[in-house]
Amino acid sequence: MDYHSVSTFAQSYGLLYLFGLFIAVLVYALWPRNKEKFDKAAHIPLEDD
């Protein structure tokens, strides 16, 4: 394997890996079961101790 083939492999599958990771994070953030947890975390800075 030369540099060009390794570089092409890394660019192609790295893009697919990062796109899959992006989709997984997006699904996690928008999953309805997590809404209450994120709403509670969003109000933490507004709480007065």
Side-chain angles (χ1 to χ4, degrees):
M1 293 180 74
D2 61 339
Y3 173 77
H4 180 67
S5 61
V6 172
S7 174
T8 303
F9 174 81
Q11 289 174 1
S12 299
Y13 289 102
L15 176 66
L16 292 176
Y17 171 74
L18 290 176
F19 183 71
L21 185 63
F22 171 75
I23 295 298
V25 168
L26 189 65
V27 167
Y28 173 75
L30 298 177
W31 202 257
R33 185 174 33 164
N34 294 332
K35 182 177 179 2
E36 183 179 337
K37 182 181 0 177
F38 291 138
D39 286 342
K40 186 185 294 185
H43 286 92
I44 289 175
L46 304 175
E47 292 177 359
D48 191 25
D49 290 334

